[in-house]
Amino acid sequence: MRVLLVEDDEPVAESLLRGLRRYGFEAEWVTTGGAALSHQGPYDLVLLDLGLPDTDGLDVCRALRERGDVPIIVISARSDETDRVVGLELGADDYVSKPFGVREVIARIRAVTRRTQPRTPSSPAPGTPDRYGARLTIDRRAARVRLDGSEVALAPKEYDLLAFLTEEPGALMSREQIMEAVWDANWFGPTKTLDVHVAALRRKLAGAVTIEAVRGVGFRLVVNEGGDDTAS
C-alpha cells in the first residue's frame, strides 16, 4: 500500500515513515497542503496533519475528498471535538489525536482499509498467511483464519479484533485503543461488547492463543506454542 504523509513536524514525520516502512508500506512525505494537492504520484491512503504551515488541513481534506475516494486519516494535535467532527464531515475516514503511537496509526490504516475495501472471500488475493505458533494462521488479504488447517468461522468484528491483537503478540492493548481501532474512533457505546468478542475468540481459538485480561487496563494476546488456553 502506498501512503502519502502530509506532516510539517519533522520528528513526527520521520517516526511515522520508519514505522510505515517497517510494516511494509510505501510512504512519501510532503510538508505543506500545497504540496499534497499538487502531488502527482499514485497513493492509496493519505495521513493528513491539520496544522500545516500554508493552509488549514481541513481545507486540504475537503479538496482531496472532492477529487476522489482515497481514504484519509487525519492526524492532529487538535483534540477539540469540533475539529474531529468537522474533519469527519468533510470526508475524513478516521481521526487520530497526537500524541499517538505508530502501532495505533498502523492499526487505524488497516481498519480503514478493511472498511473501504470489502473482503471478498470467494476470490482471495495471493499471499502468504501469517502464522502464530503451530496451530493458527491468519490470511489478512482474504480475511480468513484457520486453526489446525480448518477455517474458523468468525464474525466480522471477531476477525477485526483478532487481526488487531495479533499485530503485536504479547503487547498490552488498552480497552480504549482496541475500541477505537476495531470499532470506531467515534464509538460512544458500552465497552461490554469488547468482552463479548474476546470471550468468543477464546472459545473458538482455545489452545492456540491466550487472551489475558489485565484488570482496569485491557487485554494481551499470547501465542501458545503447544499448551492449553488459560485465559484470564
Side-chain angles (χ1 to χ4, degrees):
M1 172 180 283
R2 298 159 297 186
V3 176
L4 176 62
L5 172 62
V6 188
E7 170 63 70
D8 68 316
D9 188 317
E10 185 173 348
V12 171
E14 290 180 345
S15 176
L16 278 172
L17 288 171
R18 286 194 301 270
L20 288 166
R21 290 164 181 163
R22 187 169 66 247
Y23 279 88
F25 294 91
E26 298 178 25
E28 293 189 53
W29 172 33
V30 297
T31 59
T32 66
L37 295 177
S38 62
H39 192 276
Q40 297 299 314
Y43 48 82
D44 304 302
L45 183 139
V46 178
L47 290 176
L48 173 65
D49 182 28
L50 293 187
L52 300 173
D54 61 334
T55 186
D56 193 310
L58 291 174
D59 293 331
V60 178
C61 180
R62 180 191 296 109
L64 289 173
R65 179 52 66 232
E66 289 174 351
R67 293 181 179 185
D69 297 324
V70 172
I72 301 170
I73 299 179
V74 167
I75 51 176
S76 177
R78 303 182 192 175
S79 58
D80 185 77
E81 183 180 357
T82 300
D83 283 323
R84 181 188 294 265
V85 171
V86 171
L88 294 171
E89 288 181 344
L90 289 176
D93 296 276
D94 206 343
Y95 192 113
V96 184
S97 297
K98 297 178 182 178
F100 50 75
V102 171
R103 188 176 65 235
E104 179 184 0
V105 175
I106 298 299
R108 296 294 189 91
I109 290 174
R110 288 175 170 164
V112 166
T113 301
R114 288 194 295 270
R115 293 200 300 267
T116 57
Q117 298 178 4
R119 297 188 293 270
T120 55
S122 60
S123 55
T128 303
D130 297 323
R131 177 170 292 278
Y132 299 92
R135 304 182 59 194
L136 179 67
T137 59
I138 300 177
D139 186 338
R140 297 179 187 275
R141 293 190 177 186
R144 287 180 166 176
V145 176
R146 287 183 170 82
L147 182 65
D148 298 329
S150 298
E151 186 165 353
V152 181
L154 297 181
K157 286 303 179 186
E158 291 171 1
Y159 171 81
D160 291 343
L161 175 58
L162 179 64
F164 179 72
L165 291 176
T166 52
E167 290 293 347
E168 192 169 342
L172 175 60
M173 305 293 188
S174 72
R175 299 179 73 91
E176 291 76 15
Q177 285 177 308
I178 297 171
M179 293 302 297
E180 288 192 358
V182 177
W183 272 263
D184 193 312
N186 305 294
W187 174 272
F188 295 113
T191 61
K192 183 66 175 177
T193 186
L194 172 55
D195 299 279
V196 172
H197 284 73
V198 166
L201 287 180
R202 285 171 170 166
R203 183 178 65 255
K204 293 179 180 182
L205 304 177
V209 296
T210 297
I211 303 178
E212 301 174 348
V214 179
R215 188 178 298 277
V217 182
F219 296 93
R220 177 190 296 111
L221 182 142
V222 178
V223 176
N224 297 335
E225 296 300 334
D228 294 330
D229 181 55
T230 55
S232 301

